[in-house]
Amino acid sequence: MGKLIARHGLAWALGALWLCSFESQAASQQLSGTSPATRPRICLVLSGGGARGMAHIGVLKVLEDLKIPIDCIAGTSMGAIVGGLYASGMTAQKIDATMRSVDWQEAFRDAPPRRDLAFRRKQDDSNFLVRLPLGLKHGKILLPKGFIQGQKLQETLRQLTLPFSNSTDFDQLPTPFRAVATDLETGNAVLLDNGDLAIAMRASMSAPGVFAPVEANGRLLVDGGLAENLPINVARAMHADILIVSDVSYPLQPRAALDSALSISNQMLAILLRKDSDRQRASLSPRDILIVPELGPATSTDFAAANKVIVRGEEAARGSLAKLAEFSVGDAAYREYLARRAAREPGLLPIQFVRVDEQSKRYEKTIMAEMQPLVGKPLDLDQVGRRITELYGLGNFETLDYSLAERPAAPANPGADASNAAAGTEESGFEVRARRKSWGPNYLRFGLNLADDFQGNSRYNAAARFVLTEINELGAEFLTDVQIGSDPKVVSEFYQPLNASRTWFVAPSVRIEARDLPIYVNNIQVADFRDREAEADIDFGRDLGNWGEIRAGIHRTNGATRVRYGDPGLVEEQYNNGEYFFKFSYDRLDNVHFPREGQTFSLQWDANRSNLGADIVSDRMKADWLMARSVGRNTILLWTSLGTTLDGKFPATALPEFYSLGGFFNMSGLAPQSLIGPNYAIGRAIYFRKIGRGGEGFFEFPAYLGMSFEVGNTWERRGDISFGSARKDASVFVAFDTFLGPVYLGSGYDQAGTAAFYLFLGRTF
């Protein structure tokens, strides 16, 4: 499970949990498994504080080392996460290992890792459109309810606490537990003492505006810290005799540190939270123990400092050893305490059925096609997690969750009546809950592409993508791209899966596009044409999972060129293509802009035929392969592309049909499209080093410093391709991975002594 946890990660929170329970004293003694005559009932109180709450883990580790039994836990926000995991039966060491194994930067990006996206969603990255899709409904643009929807956090909590996904009473956990959330409508504290443990933990830490609220029992729940960041009163209500309180609340900063809008906003939040915390602290008795870790400037979002913060928690707890030692018990008593906790952990049964809840019926075919193969097999949490992640990678869901479920076993004899079935044993399985994106199912994405060579030549394109999804129960989509600028175009595609598992599909499309067609001689532009094309396609394909796709079909293109300056006879005025095509695509790259691991590969064959309207009968093939490998901050990319005309001879005026090279990473020392020919090949070795992360969490815009070496050219005949006749170019660059896409500032150099300079916004790989 550790590998799964590391893949998905836990996210951070700003607020606090609040809890309240009114059990009888006799019931409390029974649940704690002890009697006040032998020792006091000890309750642990864990405050909110985001990443600062990691210090609670250090406190728990010391309590375990001292063999101090914990009879109940009350926690808020990150305190609810740590406390809830401990209450579910995890040890402090296991919680520590979980936290340290998390990829926090990935946790701040709510979308699944690119490797887990559906292949079609990966192809959204093949253009330069902005990453955040906005909703479009009734002519209005809608935003998500939170910057992070919390799917990764929810999925991880679900994996860790699955046996308690259908619990109704948190007093029945290995350690009785309470959590607090805030009702977003009323602002009142909401006690979470029963229901689904993972949902309670998730609701308690939903910082408004950062995480989407959690809907439970008809209420929208957000971070409990807004109502009660230090839930001492909640612990008192659990009939605690002694409180051990770990408080990592936000410290007030001195005036000198209040030098920005962000620092002032954080100070405002700290003031609001501390008022209630101070009031709660004042209620502590002399026998209660208050632990306040010295966390210094650690912020609520600095999860990268988890190791140091956990150590600070240990140090603070050890600073109270004299008082804590009073509540230590002997080895035999502590083993008995651990045995009572272990006895409350239910086992996990085989999966005998999968179903969806009523609100998920529209997705039932898709969900069942993915999850049904698990039925009848032993429960494998890694397998379940992978399939849930693949479903979420389709991009349709705001949340996708599951829980344990039971139903009466079917009668062994098909002729038996229902009463016999009811009298039989229970079957165990899963119930899956899928919720459509609240800002969907229609989406709008914007994009921007800029290029400048610092010699008076600049290009720009602004684009919008409109996507209508879930058109029918098989998940049909209608996509339209509209681009204006140097290369205006309109592209529309209707994508229709042919089965519930979306294995087979049909995808007709149309495209209208205009582009510049410059003509160069010795890297000097001698002519410029404007090329316009209209294309209609019909594609049939097979999805190969989230790693690949096969497409085949028919394309029909009509093109026309217009001279802007130069010799009009250099390019044909009109041309027609009609082709059969086949394309295989493979994509396991972890990041499309600055990849660190993985590969992509594509192979395409185009067969122009006169019976489809082509002017010239020909066969052409094109391939592209990229591999990324990293060590620490250093990454090397090996990237090669080639295209060749297998048969058929294009006249010299058929320039729109030719391949081109030139520009950044495509012979960087030459002008864009300055090399044109019916055959081409290029190999690249690109190195870059991450030199700064540029911020915390989702504010991170990493910086890179890099260089490239490129070998390539275009050739009139395929037999002329050789290393000796290839040009050799190189580049150096600095780059930033921004919200709008990658930004490069670089220069390129050609073996002939020419140089080019670039300011570039947009995708290059």
Side-chain angles (χ1 to χ4, degrees):
M1 186 188 300
K3 180 173 65 176
L4 178 69
I5 296 167
R7 183 169 68 246
H8 298 296
L10 286 171
W12 63 274
L14 298 174
L17 280 152
W18 185 109
L19 19 125
C20 176
S21 171
F22 299 98
E23 317 288 16
S24 70
Q25 183 68 29
S28 299
Q29 293 172 8
Q30 182 181 3
L31 288 171
S32 66
T34 187
S35 169
T38 57
R39 67 174 180 85
R41 178 173 170 83
I42 300 173
C43 197
L44 183 63
V45 180
L46 306 178
S47 78
R52 296 168 61 88
M54 296 283 198
H56 298 321
I57 302 171
V59 173
L60 273 171
K61 291 171 70 175
V62 172
L63 297 181
E64 286 189 339
D65 289 344
L66 294 176
K67 298 182 174 61
I68 298 177
I70 302 300
D71 300 298
C72 53
I73 301 176
T76 295
S77 191
M78 183 54 75
I81 298 295
V82 175
L85 293 178
Y86 189 80
S88 72
M90 290 182 68
T91 66
Q93 291 291 345
K94 288 183 179 180
I95 299 172
D96 187 354
T98 297
M99 293 294 189
R100 293 177 191 266
S101 66
V102 166
D103 181 348
W104 292 108
Q105 295 305 331
E106 187 171 289
F108 291 136
R109 299 183 178 99
D110 197 58
R114 190 174 186 275
R115 62 180 175 269
D116 294 330
L117 291 176
F119 188 81
R120 182 166 176 81
R121 298 286 75 87
K122 289 180 180 179
Q123 301 316 295
D124 292 341
D125 292 335
S126 64
N127 51 55
F128 50 83
L129 294 176
V130 177
R131 299 170 183 171
L132 178 65
L134 305 176
L136 188 63
K137 186 178 294 186
H138 306 306
K140 295 182 179 179
I141 294 179
L142 304 178
L143 294 173
K145 293 178 180 177
F147 194 90
I148 301 172
Q149 301 310 304
Q151 174 67 22
K152 290 183 182 179
L153 173 64
Q154 183 64 46
E155 191 172 334
T156 303
L157 294 177
R158 178 63 65 210
Q159 292 278 330
L160 295 171
T161 63
L162 182 62
F164 307 102
S165 60
N166 57 1
S167 298
T168 58
D169 187 349
F170 290 171
D171 281 331
Q172 301 304 318
L173 296 174
T175 298
F177 173 67
R178 299 290 185 274
V180 178
T182 301
D183 189 316
L184 185 59
E185 291 185 277
T186 66
N188 296 328
V190 177
L191 177 66
L192 302 174
D193 59 358
N194 63 80
D196 188 314
L197 179 59
I199 294 295
M201 297 160 66
R202 164 74 176 84
S204 176
M205 50 71 60
S206 297
V210 178
F211 284 98
V214 173
E215 186 171 352
N217 299 323
R219 293 182 292 196
L220 284 180
L221 303 181
V222 294
D223 198 307
L226 299 175
E228 191 166 352
N229 197 49
L230 191 63
I232 289 175
N233 288 342
V234 173
R236 293 281 188 214
M238 299 175 78
H239 309 292
D241 299 313
I242 300 295
L243 299 184
I244 299 176
V245 180
S246 177
D247 189 2
V248 296
S249 300
Y250 309 101
L252 296 180
Q253 299 298 317
R255 181 171 181 174
L258 304 176
D259 55 358
S260 68
L262 182 59
S263 64
I264 292 173
S265 297
N266 287 338
Q267 186 83 336
M268 176 188 69
L269 180 60
I271 291 172
L272 293 174
L273 296 183
R274 284 184 67 87
K275 284 186 176 181
D276 181 71
S277 295
D278 290 344
R279 178 181 60 82
Q280 296 272 11
R281 278 197 194 186
S283 70
L284 294 175
S285 72
R287 292 198 68 196
D288 296 328
I289 301 172
L290 175 63
I291 300 172
V292 183
E294 294 292 336
L295 300 177
T299 68
S300 62
T301 62
D302 193 8
F303 283 90
N307 293 351
K308 181 169 63 177
V309 172
I310 292 172
V311 170
R312 292 289 183 269
E314 291 186 57
E315 293 173 350
R318 295 193 186 281
S320 300
L321 279 180
K323 296 188 68 174
L324 290 172
E326 178 185 350
F327 306 108
S328 295
V329 298
D331 291 345
Y334 197 70
R335 283 195 299 270
E336 182 183 349
Y337 162 75
L338 296 178
R340 286 196 301 271
R341 272 174 48 91
R344 289 172 177 264
E345 295 186 51
L348 293 174
L349 301 175
I351 303 174
Q352 296 171 291
F353 69 91
V354 175
R355 70 188 184 203
V356 301
D357 72 341
E358 284 299 320
Q359 297 182 59
S360 306
K361 289 298 184 181
R362 66 177 296 111
Y363 305 113
E364 184 171 19
K365 289 184 178 180
T366 298
I367 291 172
M368 296 303 291
E370 182 67 36
M371 304 297 290
Q372 193 65 34
L374 298 175
V375 174
K377 298 179 181 178
L379 177 60
D380 184 330
L381 290 177
D382 285 344
Q383 279 286 342
V384 175
R386 276 193 289 269
R387 291 181 179 274
I388 288 292
T389 299
E390 287 184 9
L391 283 169
Y392 190 71
L394 295 175
N396 296 330
F397 308 117
E398 182 168 349
T399 59
L400 185 65
D401 196 13
Y402 61 97
S403 61
L404 296 180
E406 293 182 344
R407 71 179 185 187
N413 180 2
D417 58 27
S419 61
N420 290 335
T425 60
E426 296 286 318
E427 289 184 336
S428 60
F430 282 137
E431 180 175 89
V432 180
R433 299 183 295 275
R435 298 296 179 263
R436 172 193 279 179
K437 289 179 177 177
S438 58
W439 64 99
N442 304 321
Y443 305 99
L444 175 64
R445 302 177 73 175
F446 295 101
L448 186 65
N449 178 279
L450 299 171
D452 195 316
D453 63 2
F454 299 100
Q455 296 182 6
N457 299 314
S458 61
R459 304 179 64 81
Y460 79 93
N461 291 291
R465 166 167 288 187
F466 303 88
V467 185
L468 280 65
T469 68
E470 303 181 36
I471 295 175
N472 54 42
E473 62 180 8
L474 293 179
E477 298 180 1
F478 183 71
L479 176 153
T480 299
D481 284 347
V482 178
Q483 180 171 293
I484 60 174
S486 303
D487 305 309
K489 67 178 178 180
V490 177
V491 179
S492 288
E493 180 190 65
F494 181 74
Y495 176 83
Q496 176 62 66
L498 300 178
N499 56 359
S501 60
R502 308 190 186 198
T503 305
W504 298 94
F505 64 87
V506 59
S509 64
V510 295
R511 174 180 63 89
I512 300 174
E513 184 174 3
R515 58 172 178 157
D516 287 337
L517 187 62
I519 309 297
Y520 286 82
V521 176
N522 296 326
N523 208 40
I524 298 175
Q525 188 171 351
V526 298
D528 187 34
F529 291 78
R530 192 66 170 169
D531 179 38
R532 293 180 174 83
E533 288 187 346
E535 180 180 52
D537 304 342
I538 178 70
D539 296 357
F540 299 90
R542 190 184 194 283
D543 194 342
L544 302 175
N546 63 9
W547 59 267
E549 177 187 87
I550 294 174
R551 284 193 182 220
I554 299 173
H555 293 179
R556 181 72 171 86
T557 305
N558 295 326
T561 62
R562 174 178 59 84
V563 64
R564 303 210 307 192
Y565 72 85
D567 183 358
L570 291 174
V571 179
E572 294 178 346
E573 291 187 6
Q574 294 186 341
Y575 59 93
N576 298 287
N577 284 328
E579 63 185 24
Y580 301 103
F581 92 101
F582 171 87
K583 184 176 182 180
F584 168 77
S585 300
Y586 172 93
D587 190 341
R588 286 285 181 125
L589 214 58
D590 64 345
N591 186 299
V592 72
H593 296 149
F594 295 94
R596 289 184 51 79
E597 298 293 338
Q599 300 183 57
T600 62
F601 175 76
S602 66
L603 176 66
Q604 182 166 334
W605 167 68
D606 298 305
N608 272 293
R609 296 294 183 262
S610 57
N611 63 336
L612 296 178
D615 296 333
I616 300 171
V617 176
S618 67
D619 287 274
R620 293 188 296 174
M621 186 171 292
K622 182 178 180 180
D624 186 272
W625 172 77
L626 183 148
M627 179 183 71
R629 291 292 182 268
S630 297
V631 177
R633 291 173 172 261
N634 305 292
T635 300
I636 184 74
L637 304 181
L638 300 179
W639 181 18
T640 184
S641 309
L642 61 90
T644 183
T645 302
L646 300 175
D647 55 42
K649 185 172 179 59
F650 288 91
T653 55
L655 294 183
E657 307 301 309
F658 289 171
Y659 303 108
S660 67
L661 286 175
F664 197 40
F665 293 156
N666 284 295
M667 310 309 294
S668 296
L670 303 177
Q673 298 178 266
S674 56
L675 299 176
I676 299 179
N679 302 281
Y680 89 104
I682 180 174
R684 315 162 184 89
I686 303 172
Y687 164 82
F688 57 84
R689 176 179 173 82
K690 187 175 181 180
I691 58 175
R693 68 178 187 175
E696 295 179 2
F698 51 80
F699 296 110
E700 179 190 30
F701 293 145
Y704 301 89
L705 189 64
M707 63 182 69
S708 72
F709 178 68
E710 304 145 32
V711 179
N713 209 339
T714 60
W715 291 269
E716 183 177 350
R717 293 185 299 273
R718 187 167 65 254
D720 294 336
I721 299 176
S722 67
F723 182 82
S725 61
R727 306 179 73 104
K728 286 78 176 179
D729 282 31
S731 75
V732 293
F733 61 88
V734 61
F736 303 89
D737 192 7
T738 74
F739 185 76
L740 293 174
V743 176
Y744 293 87
L745 180 63
S747 59
Y749 306 91
D750 181 68
Q751 65 179 24
T754 61
F757 301 92
Y758 302 95
L759 174 62
F760 193 89
L761 167 63
R763 187 186 171 207
T764 56
F765 301 132

